[in-house]
Amino acid sequence: MDYDSMSKEQLIKLLRELELKRAYTYEDRMKLTILDNLPFTVWASDRDCVIRLWEGQCEAMYGYRKSETLGKNYVELFVAPDEKAAARRDQLKIIDENETFHNIANDHGRYGNVLRLITNCCRIKDPDTGEYLNAEMGVSIAYYEEEKKILEENIEEGRQMQSFSRQFVADQQQHKDMLQERCDALWDSIRTGKAHAGSKGRLDQYKVQISPIENGIVQSRERFNDLLLVYKRKVSECLSYEECEKIKSEYLREYNMFLDEFSELAISLENVNAQFTNALDLTAEKDEAMNEVSRQSTKLAALAQTIFNKAEGAYNKFKSICNDPSSTVLQTLDKFVNSASLIREEIYSISSDIHRRIASAMTKTDIDITKDEVQKKCTEIKTQLTELNDEIEPYV
């Protein structure tokens, strides 16, 4: 077009026409870009079923180039023989009666391939002629099924991540409580040590030697609280269940380092106390027992969480197929989920109780008896979890 030779009035008229067509707006450029990149067929036809537009993924999916379809009757070109009459009837309903259709098309491609498409058809007005057309947009059912599967997997992973996040926070609180019990036991031992040292007139010397240990307890506790916040944030920002599991493993490694750190403080405290009192000091013995309880309960809780996830996954999977509350299978799977949850809660309840019993033990024999009970209880719980896992397995 020779713009230089056009008059001002002609240019203004042209600009107004272009504005009405909206062909150069940002929104229209974006729409075209989106349609060009998404897996949709986009085409339109007139009242006589003649193709007037052939865009999107039409060429790629049907095998017909634009030059081969424009001006051709689409019913004759690619509609299945037993659907031709219905296609013509629907064409008139869309254009003459403004009906909208959402259906599944079984079209034939250029190379004999059958295209099963989820389609949406509606009436539009040609911006140039004012003529009504039938516009269709379609997507392959195979693509839909694939995306549906991905969606289901994402939903299931989302459920797992939500369950993981809730349990991770609960686990952290239990670890915090158990570590606090160990701190309390160390502080009790320090108070007892101060009393013995004071009775012998050596309190000042005791305070000098015990000061680094007191500082160590306070600093370790503060750093552990910081650790809890850091990993709580990391889990909240997880992008996948696999990433959550990796973060949990990192957290447990650091948590175990704190357990060892408190054990070293307990040994140092016992050595200092031994210098100032003739009384039997069970600080290190108690802390070592608490340490072992913490490690074993953490392992059992992790196992219980794994089995809980397996049961919940099986439950959600079956529920998506059969959401009948009276279903025997659904009730059985629900029972498995609840059992795993109860065992998990029992693990920490027992470990907290054991910590308190160890802290109040008066003799090494009392500690040994409690440790034996811990081993017995852990074996029982592990057996319960193994049996529960075997029951769940056929449903996975």
Side-chain angles (χ1 to χ4, degrees), residues 62 74 94 103 110 126 138 140 144 188 201 214 243 246 263 321 340 342 386:
Y62 282 89
Y74 81 84
I94 292 168
N103 54 29
R110 177 174 185 170
D126 188 308
S140 169
Y144 166 77
D188 285 342
E214 291 176 318
E243 185 182 353
K246 288 181 179 178
S263 295
I321 302 171
L342 289 172
T386 301

Side-chain angles (χ1 to χ4, degrees), residues 102-236:
H102 310 286
N103 54 29
I104 295 177
N106 292 291
D107 295 337
H108 290 188
R110 177 174 185 170
Y111 303 106
N113 55 310
V114 176
L115 298 170
R116 299 193 71 227
L117 305 173
I118 299 173
T119 63
N120 291 272
C121 306
C122 65
R123 186 173 77 176
I124 63 168
K125 182 180 285 189
D126 188 308
D128 288 337
T129 66
E131 178 185 6
Y132 284 124
L133 303 174
N134 167 25
E136 177 179 308
M137 177 179 284
V139 63
S140 169
I141 284 182
Y143 180 85
Y144 166 77
E145 291 296 338
E146 182 180 327
E147 290 303 308
K148 181 181 175 183
K149 181 180 177 182
I150 292 173
L151 176 61
E152 289 172 350
E153 290 173 351
N154 288 341
I155 290 173
E156 178 58 29
E157 183 174 44
R159 289 192 186 114
Q160 287 182 325
M161 289 174 66
Q162 287 179 351
S163 175
F164 177 94
S165 181
R166 288 194 300 270
Q167 189 54 42
F168 187 79
V169 171
D171 288 347
Q172 283 194 318
Q173 184 59 49
Q174 291 289 348
H175 294 160
K176 183 177 181 180
D177 292 343
M178 288 191 288
L179 216 56
Q180 182 60 53
E181 287 162 1
R182 293 178 70 181
C183 283
D184 292 343
L186 294 180
W187 288 121
D188 285 342
S189 181
I190 289 173
R191 283 191 290 271
T192 301
K194 285 182 177 178
H196 280 289
S199 66
K200 296 182 179 183
R202 302 178 63 192
L203 181 57
D204 290 339
Q205 298 98 310
Y206 183 83
K207 285 182 177 180
V208 170
Q209 293 200 40
I210 211 69
S211 178
I213 298 174
E214 291 176 318
N215 291 334
I217 296 171
V218 172
Q219 291 169 7
S220 293
R221 185 65 183 166
E222 289 175 350
R223 285 190 291 107
F224 182 70
N225 287 337
D226 291 340
L227 179 78
L228 295 179
L229 293 175
V230 167
Y231 277 93
K232 184 178 181 180
R233 176 183 56 77
K234 283 186 176 183
V235 165
S236 69

Side-chain angles (χ1 to χ4, degrees), residues 360-396:
S360 61
M362 300 301 293
T363 66
K364 187 177 184 304
T365 301
D366 293 337
I367 297 173
D368 290 338
I369 291 173
T370 305
K371 287 167 67 176
D372 289 341
E373 290 178 8
V374 169
Q375 293 299 328
K376 182 180 178 181
K377 196 62 184 177
C378 286
T379 301
E380 290 176 359
I381 292 174
K382 191 169 184 179
T383 300
Q384 290 178 31
L385 289 171
T386 301
E387 291 174 351
L388 180 59
N389 184 64
D390 291 341
E391 290 183 273
I392 295 169
E393 197 62 37
Y395 298 91
V396 176

